[in-house]
Amino acid sequence: MAFLILVVLFVVIKLSVYVLLQSAPEGFFRAEHIGSRDRETPDQVLSPQINASDDYLWEALPAVAPSPVGNPITREKIQLGKALFFDKNLSADRSLSCASCHELEKYAGGDGAEVSTGIWGKKGDRNAPTVWNSAFQKRLFWDGRARSLEQQAIQPLLNPIEMGMKSEIEIEKRVQEQPHYPDLFSRAFEGDTEISIDKIVKAIASYERTLITNDSPYDEFVRGDVSALTSQQLSGMALFEKVGCVHCHFGPNFSAASVFSDGLELRAFPANPDQLGAEYNFGNDGEKNTVWRVPSLRNVALTGPWLHNGQVDDLKEVVRIMAKAQLGKSKTREFQWVEHRLGVIENPDLTEQQVEDIVAFLHALSSRRLVQAAIE
Ligand code: HEC
Ligand code: HEC
């Protein structure tokens, strides 16, 4: 008899534990909600740990970018680099220059398309990031695979779906063909007229180091003009820090992958698998790459559509995705009352007002000159 009672008791206990487990919101027992840090990758450190600090330093962007040892910047090198950047002879069918996909004025240094179109109309699978202020990034490309502008510049030239040149020698030949280059090379490289791929990328990188925008309302504000930001932008700026965007987008170039930072340059994205991100094929499209360079947010309001596949054309939606995928903002709306009652998840979604305020702040990172150029 006693045995039977024991068995019944056992079954009842087991059943109630099962029912309890079933009723918990999805993901309730995952490490990030319990708060155990040792099982988490750094990306899954969620906003409860990213507390707003009183001493976050807002900085303006300097007017000059650093150049590496071995490629000091000179006026002559910049001039040569500029000629190369705009030269369509550097693509296999002579139809594209660097500037074709990086339109400096019209699209604020990108091309305004979801993904870029290379020679012979070949479509890539990545959105063209802006070249403005890329001089301050120590990791380039969406996946951060290049570590300098010199390393970066050779890749589009040889990429079969971008400029499609067959070899470095072929690129050198295209440059040698044109009568105005020997003189430009000679002036840029101490009287040496020899044209080499090494010099070509050095000159292009030098020119790119002059593509700097520090004339945004944000920079003006940081330099002391308190009227440069609207009250909504100020509220967005406070939120940008408080909710934890600065955890990854920090420093004068708003990126952990900038020369100003020694933080984590690459981040899992989506760090917290999320329905909203999945709708735009993030982390859901068989992408082999799951780790991405933290991009700069300067001029971001001018460089849509956004994110590495260019699938999102509404900046508010990008902010919502970031909040959910990178800051673990609550995705289990229907269970919010349980979470609040239990006090376990202190990480509710951003309100629409907060999203709009953050977007207003992102607009304050746009260069006044480029905003003007985009209108004209
Ligand atoms: C067919 C369009 C196309 C052409 C032509 C092109 N690019 Fe790009 N560029 C892109 C795309 C797309 C990416 C992002 C690719 C990736 O992340 O894998 C990119 C990335 C870059 C970046 C990295 C920016 C960052 O923030 O990471 C720089 C710098 C750049 N290109 C400079 C150049 C230069 C210099 C040339 C000419 C030698 C050039 N591009 C030619 C489309 C193009
Ligand atoms: C854990 C790091 C992390 C945090 C926190 C984070 N981001 Fe990001 N952000 C990234 C990464 C990585 C990308 C690039 C994603 C990709 O591959 O498309 C990105 C991309 C973006 C972009 C698109 C840039 C472009 O050129 O398309 C915007 C805008 C942005 N973040 C804003 C924010 C805002 C606003 C917040 C705060 C609500 C935030 N981010 C929080 C890492 C982070």
Side-chain angles (χ1 to χ4, degrees):
M1 185 65 194
F3 177 72
L4 210 76
I5 292 173
L6 259 174
V7 168
V8 170
L9 248 166
F10 178 74
V11 170
V12 167
I13 289 170
K14 210 171 165 184
L15 256 172
S16 31
V17 168
Y18 178 78
V19 167
L20 200 81
L21 282 173
Q22 284 300 304
S23 62
E26 191 202 331
F28 187 80
F29 292 100
R30 280 216 311 272
E32 66 257 36
H33 291 165
I34 298 165
S36 139
R37 295 187 63 167
D38 35 17
R39 262 173 294 157
E40 297 169 19
T41 63
D43 282 304
Q44 283 164 322
V45 176
L46 300 176
S47 66
Q49 281 106 36
I50 308 169
N51 288 324
S53 59
D54 292 331
D55 55 359
Y56 181 78
L57 195 60
W58 296 101
E59 293 166 287
L61 196 65
V64 178
S67 32
V69 181
N71 193 19
I73 201 159
T74 62
R75 194 175 309 161
E76 292 74 19
K77 235 187 262 173
I78 296 167
Q79 206 190 349
L80 169 62
K82 185 173 181 182
L84 292 164
F85 191 87
F86 286 90
D87 192 340
K88 292 188 174 172
N89 293 304
L90 294 187
S91 58
D93 64 355
R94 300 182 200 262
S95 69
L96 294 176
S97 70
C98 308
S100 309
C101 298
H102 300 288
E103 286 201 46
L104 297 182
E105 309 248 287
K106 189 162 171 215
Y107 294 116
D111 62 7
E114 285 173 18
V115 294
S116 289
T117 306
I119 51 162
W120 296 304
K122 289 190 198 167
K123 273 215 184 330
D125 56 4
R126 294 265 192 281
N127 172 264
T130 179
V131 285
W132 287 103
N133 308 309
S134 61
F136 293 106
Q137 292 301 84
K138 61 183 175 196
R139 291 280 202 154
L140 297 147
F141 288 123
W142 283 103
D143 55 13
R145 65 188 182 277
R147 286 175 184 270
S148 69
L149 289 171
E150 284 81 355
Q151 268 184 23
Q152 193 282 327
I154 186 68
Q155 297 202 27
L157 291 165
L158 294 174
N159 189 328
I161 58 167
E162 291 191 332
M163 298 167 91
M165 299 297 282
K166 289 272 172 321
S167 67
E168 295 184 353
I169 293 172
E170 202 192 348
I171 301 166
E172 290 165 355
K173 276 196 196 139
R174 285 284 177 93
V175 180
Q176 285 156 1
E177 260 168 28
Q178 295 163 79
H180 61 291
Y181 278 123
D183 184 40
L184 287 175
F185 274 81
S186 159
R187 280 194 271 148
F189 295 99
E190 293 152 2
D192 188 353
T193 52
E194 188 221 359
I195 291 173
S196 67
I197 193 71
D198 181 52
K199 288 181 186 165
I200 293 172
V201 296
K202 279 183 173 167
I204 293 178
S206 298
Y207 170 61
E208 288 175 309
R209 292 201 170 95
T210 67
L211 301 176
I212 295 170
T213 62
N214 63 358
D215 62 335
S216 70
Y218 164 81
D219 294 288
E220 290 166 6
F221 177 82
V222 173
R223 285 192 219 102
D225 177 359
V226 289
S227 66
L229 298 185
T230 65
S231 59
Q232 187 182 22
Q233 288 172 331
L234 282 171
S235 142
M237 183 168 165
L239 281 166
F240 189 84
E241 181 199 343
K242 195 172 133 239
V243 305
C245 308
V246 294
H247 192 61
C248 294
H249 300 282
F250 60 90
N253 214 25
F254 292 85
S255 165
S258 81
V259 296
F260 308 103
S261 122
D262 50 11
L264 280 176
E265 299 153 7
L266 308 179
R267 289 294 191 150
F269 170 74
N272 302 283
D274 172 70
Q275 193 45 39
L276 190 59
E279 275 170 34
Y280 296 98
N281 271 335
F282 295 115
N284 195 33
D285 58 349
E287 273 277 9
K288 283 192 209 80
N289 197 45
T290 53
V291 178
W292 305 92
R293 183 270 318 255
V294 177
S296 164
L297 299 184
R298 285 199 170 260
N299 300 308
V300 75
L302 301 171
T303 57
W306 292 275
L307 300 169
H308 65 260
N309 61 7
Q311 285 302 296
V312 190
D313 64 2
D314 172 7
L315 195 49
K316 280 200 276 183
E317 191 78 338
V318 181
V319 174
R320 287 185 206 111
I321 292 173
M322 280 289 132
K324 286 171 181 289
Q326 302 307 81
L327 291 165
K329 290 289 181 193
S330 162
K331 59 183 178 211
T332 49
R333 280 175 174 282
E334 66 265 44
F335 286 114
Q336 254 178 16
W337 65 273
V338 184
E339 294 161 4
H340 285 304
R341 186 158 299 176
L342 295 176
V344 178
I345 296 180
E346 301 164 351
N347 197 10
D349 274 323
L350 295 178
T351 63
E352 269 314 281
Q353 185 62 53
Q354 290 176 321
V355 170
E356 278 167 28
D357 291 358
I358 291 175
V359 167
F361 174 61
L362 294 178
H363 277 269
L365 306 181
S366 295
S367 149
R368 288 200 189 273
R369 184 158 59 92
L370 292 182
V371 169
Q372 196 53 37
I375 304 169
E376 282 165 4

